[in-house]
Each structure stands twice: as structure tokens, then as C-alpha cells.
Amino acid sequence: MKIASECVACIINQSAKVADAIEADKNLTNKLITTVEEMSKEFSFELSPPEVASDVYETMASLAKKEDIYDVIKELSIQKARSFVPFLKEKLQNADNRLLTATKIAVAGNVIDLAAAVEFDLEEELEKIFHTEFAHNDFEALTQELAVAKRVTILGDNVGEHIFDYMFIEVLQELYPKVHFSYMVRGNPIINDVTMKEAREAGFDKLCELIDSGVNTPGFAYSRANKYAQKVFDEADLVLSKGMGNYECLSPSHRDNICFLLKVKCDVVAKALGQSVGDIVCKLIKKEA
């Protein structure tokens, strides 16, 4: 997906969010906002929103003299996500369809998104997710692909959400014990996306193959990924792509068998998917025979 005019305003608005997050003084706040406004005049409409955002966030981090702008908020997101784990484990234990329940848990976690145009309450989403149908529902096709896959790669998205991804992968491993699973994270701190630091702290390195994608974008921009990440992405029988940033970077993609799992949180993505803001999506991309 290429950026739209609506994306420009959204990215500019992120500067005010960053200022609030780091409790910037008036001078730094003005500097962040005016700098991003100036940058927006040169945005390339040939790039995806995450590619544009990466340059903006790196500039803001430099101005703020802070490598990880959202480090404190990410920790709070992890604590909040962990507080729901007992409730979610009970849901899984009592589920008639453990895969569907685990998939919905993973999608519910996608509401933890500091760059979203619309914000959702995690507790509210978790309460209703199990009674909500996928607006685009390729879940049955997904189960068929999982049944024959040998290598599955999950593209992580946000911190906090990754706690639910861990539970998702645990269920996938239980149901498909012969499959090799890998979990891919960002190459450096960008917005509140999961990096090796948070993934290792959560134990992903002991759960499955944990991969640093090398990307500096809040989405898997294939051209910016390191060679190993590209190889794993290309050779996977199935890619499970979490969140809007990955969707924006991989629509379109050179490969098929990508299943997008996300919560729609902006009008631009809603239009691209033919859905509404607030919908949950399980969309499997397969090339025509």
C-alpha cells in the first residue's frame, strides 16, 4: 500500500503523541511538531505508510535524544497484557475450537497500537472478541493451509500484543507439532513495535525460532529486511502477518499464502480491505490457479 493524503495528517499527529509520551517541554514539543510538518512536505507517495513513518520516528527520536521513545509505555503495555493471561488461558481451556480461540486472542491483542488513528480498549476488546465474527473470514482456509504446512512464519507487530502471540504460537505448536514455527520482530525500536529485547524477555527464543528481521519500519518492508529474514519469509509455506503495518507493507507481496490477522483501525486500511473501522480480519492471500 502507498500512503494516502489521510496518512500524512495521521503521521503528523504522531508528533504530538510522542511529545505527550516523553513528557516533552514546550520547546521540544514545538520542535517535534514543526519538524514533522516540514518533513511531510517531502513525503514520497511511492512509499508505504510504515516506510514513511520510519524516517519520521528516527528523526523524532534523535530530537528527543531517546533511542526508544515509547520504552516506558511499552513496559506498561506488557504489564497490562500479562494481567489478562489467566483469563485467556481459561478461555483456551474451555474452548470447543482452540485454534479459533487462540487466533482471536492474537487478533484482540492487535488493539495495542500507539500509532492507530482510532484507539480501542483492550479489556473491552477481549470481552467481546470471542463473540465477534471475522468481517473477512478465511479461517477455514487458514486451517487447511496449516494442516499441510511444514514451515510457518509469524510476523510480530506491537509490544503487549506479542504476549498474546506467544499464547497463539503455543496452541499452534500443540496442534501442529511437526511444523517449524518462527517469529519475526523489528530490527530496532520503532513506535511500540516488538523487537528482540521484548521478545527475548517474553521467552520467544525458547518457544520457537526468533528472528530479527532487520527492518527499521513499523511493518515488514521486505526490501529493508536482512538476507536471512528474506530467506525465511520466502521459504515459509505460510506467513501469518499480524497488524496493519505488516498489511500495509505486504499489500501487494511477491509471494502468496500470507494470512493477514488484524483489527482495522483507520479509514485507509478499511477502504483497502473493503471493511469498516473496528472490524477484525482473517484474510488469506492466495494466487489464482
Side-chain angles (χ1 to χ4, degrees), residues 64-243:
K65 296 180 172 60
K66 193 172 174 63
E67 181 182 0
D68 189 347
I69 290 173
Y70 284 120
D71 54 355
V72 174
I73 295 176
K74 287 198 291 187
E75 277 301 315
L76 293 174
S77 295
I78 292 170
Q79 292 173 25
K80 187 169 186 178
R82 287 195 184 281
S83 73
F84 291 106
V85 168
F87 164 73
L88 296 175
K89 283 186 174 180
E90 184 178 350
K91 283 288 185 182
L92 280 169
Q93 187 176 347
N94 298 326
D96 293 328
N97 187 329
R98 286 175 61 78
L99 178 60
L100 178 59
T101 299
T103 303
K104 285 192 172 182
I105 287 171
V107 173
N110 188 230
V111 305
I112 306 173
D113 187 349
L114 300 180
V118 178
E119 294 183 5
F120 296 88
D121 182 76
L122 179 58
E123 184 171 2
E124 182 182 328
E125 291 302 308
L126 287 172
E127 286 291 344
K128 70 182 183 182
I129 192 75
F130 305 107
H131 312 289
T132 303
E133 295 296 324
F134 287 112
H136 187 110
N137 193 349
D138 287 337
F139 179 75
E140 290 305 319
L142 171 60
T143 62
Q144 293 171 18
E145 293 301 326
L146 283 167
V148 297
K150 294 181 180 178
R151 304 183 69 84
V152 175
T153 293
I154 299 98
L155 304 179
D157 191 25
N158 299 317
V159 168
E161 177 181 353
H162 75 298
I163 300 300
F164 301 149
D165 291 344
Y166 189 100
M167 299 176 70
F168 180 41
I169 295 173
E170 281 185 314
V171 173
L172 288 171
Q173 289 179 328
E174 171 197 322
L175 298 175
Y176 307 99
K178 294 183 179 179
V179 176
H180 176 87
F181 290 97
S182 57
Y183 189 71
M184 208 173 284
V185 299
R186 310 294 185 235
N188 58 270
I190 178 73
I191 316 184
N192 65 322
D193 285 24
V194 61
T195 67
M196 291 293 282
K197 175 182 179 293
E198 297 87 17
R200 284 199 180 106
E201 288 172 353
F204 278 90
D205 52 334
K206 298 177 181 65
L207 176 71
C208 62
E209 182 183 12
L210 177 60
I211 299 171
D212 182 338
S213 67
V215 303
N216 65 341
T217 47
F220 184 74
Y222 182 86
S223 63
R224 300 192 186 194
N226 58 48
K227 293 299 182 184
Y228 183 69
Q230 289 180 343
K231 180 176 184 291
V232 171
F233 179 82
D234 289 338
E235 294 180 357
D237 298 307
L238 175 66
V239 172
L240 302 178
S241 170
K242 297 291 309 299

Side-chain angles (χ1 to χ4, degrees), residues 46-72:
E46 293 304 307
L47 298 176
S48 67
E51 288 175 304
V52 173
S54 69
D55 297 333
V56 169
Y57 273 89
E58 286 178 359
T59 298
M60 287 195 288
S62 176
L63 289 173
K65 296 180 172 60
K66 193 172 174 63
E67 181 182 0
D68 189 347
I69 290 173
Y70 284 120
D71 54 355
V72 174

